[in-house]
């Protein structure tokens, strides 16, 4: 049976006790249910391959109208919806299974990149209205976050049974920059904007570097 929204976050990694992405999802899911949306939430492993496999299984099981995957980008200064997923695995640190791929494709023979189908500029504008720092990001890196983002967009672009599902990826910064309650509120607002917005705002959101 189809649901409205699928949210995903990640388990802890690199020795951390928690992962801000999953905390944001855990907080946003009940808020969205209070708004009348049927929501499923999945915690993904920080592992190249299995994370994308689990996400694909969840998409096919729930057949949501909207998918928002969330990851942690420590060091960023705000919440950042991602524009482009790239077909590259290049790990600076091992994943939670010890894998460290270098210059490998996410999907052999897949296109160089996939662009999100979320209204990322409208989502950023909503953050500004809430006084929450945010901006459009042009890259999700080359670690497991990008791996999941690429797998999601490739799945939605190539599986005819999933036509009409929109999806994308959002990075949250560490809790010292945006605390868990604010991140959950921000994610809730962005999902509601994505739910109600079919055509993105036409406004500057690029970067010079």
């Amino acid at each position: 049976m189809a649901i409205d929204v699928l949210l995903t976050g990640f388990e802890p990694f690199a020795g951390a006790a928690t992962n801000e992405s999953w905390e944001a999802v855990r907080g946003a899911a009940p808020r969205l249910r209070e708004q009348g949306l049927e929501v499923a939430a999945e915690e993904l492993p920080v592992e190249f391959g299995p994370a994308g496999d689990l996400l694909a299984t969840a998409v096919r099981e729930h057949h949501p109208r909207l998918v928002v995957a969330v990851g942690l980008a420590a060091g960023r200064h705000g919440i950042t919806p991602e524009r482009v997923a790239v077909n590259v695995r290049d790990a600076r640190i091992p994943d939670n299974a010890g894998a460290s791929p270098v210059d490998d494709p996410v999907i052999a023979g897949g296109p160089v990149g996939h662009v999100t189908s979320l209204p990322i500029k409208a989502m950023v504008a909503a953050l500004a209205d809430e006084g929450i720092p945010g901006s459009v990001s042009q890259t999700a890196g080359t670690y497991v976050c990008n791996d999941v983002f690429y797998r999601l967009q490739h799945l939605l672009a190539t599986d005819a049974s999933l036509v009409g599902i929109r999806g994308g990826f959002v990075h949250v910064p560490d809790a010292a920059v945006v605390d868990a309650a604010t991140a959950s509120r921000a994610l809730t607002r962005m999902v509601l904007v994505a739910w109600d917005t079919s055509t993105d705002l036409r406004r500057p959101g690029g970067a010079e570097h």
Side-chain angles (χ1 to χ4, degrees):
M1 181 177 177
I3 65 168
D4 295 321
V5 180
L6 172 63
L7 299 177
T8 70
F10 285 101
E11 69 183 3
F13 72 107
T18 60
N19 188 310
E20 284 86 341
S21 67
W22 180 240
E23 296 306 307
V25 166
R26 286 205 313 159
R31 291 170 179 259
L32 291 166
R33 293 183 187 115
E34 290 172 359
Q35 297 295 317
L37 296 178
E38 188 173 359
V39 181
E42 296 278 353
E43 185 179 27
L44 304 180
V46 181
E47 298 180 28
F48 289 97
D53 293 342
L54 183 57
L55 175 59
T57 297
V59 171
R60 291 191 172 110
E61 175 186 351
H62 297 294
H63 207 93
R65 290 178 58 189
L66 185 69
V67 184
V68 181
V70 185
L72 170 64
R76 290 194 182 178
H77 302 294
I79 296 173
T80 50
E82 298 292 344
R83 190 194 295 263
V84 182
V86 295
N87 194 12
V88 177
R89 292 173 170 173
D90 196 353
R92 181 180 58 81
I93 59 174
D95 69 9
N96 279 358
S100 298
V102 175
D103 297 338
D104 291 340
V106 177
I107 295 178
V112 171
H114 283 292
V115 178
T116 186
S117 51
L118 299 183
I120 53 177
K121 292 183 178 180
M123 292 160 69
V124 168
L127 292 180
D129 289 344
E130 298 285 337
I132 300 170
S135 62
V136 172
S137 171
Q138 315 306 325
T139 174
T142 56
Y143 196 55
V144 181
C145 286
N146 175 76
D147 211 62
V148 162
F149 183 20
Y150 188 93
R151 288 282 302 275
L152 171 62
Q153 301 308 126
H154 191 76
L155 176 69
L156 299 183
T158 59
D159 189 328
S161 71
L162 304 176
V163 170
I165 298 176
R166 294 185 298 141
F169 197 95
V170 172
H171 265 122
V172 296
D174 57 53
V177 177
V178 175
D179 63 74
T182 302
S184 296
R185 179 164 59 91
L187 182 58
T188 302
R189 183 80 174 99
M190 288 189 291
V191 170
L192 291 173
V193 168
W195 180 257
D196 289 331
T197 305
S198 57
T199 302
D200 202 2
L201 298 178
R202 185 171 176 83
R203 58 186 289 175
E208 286 72 51
H209 54 79

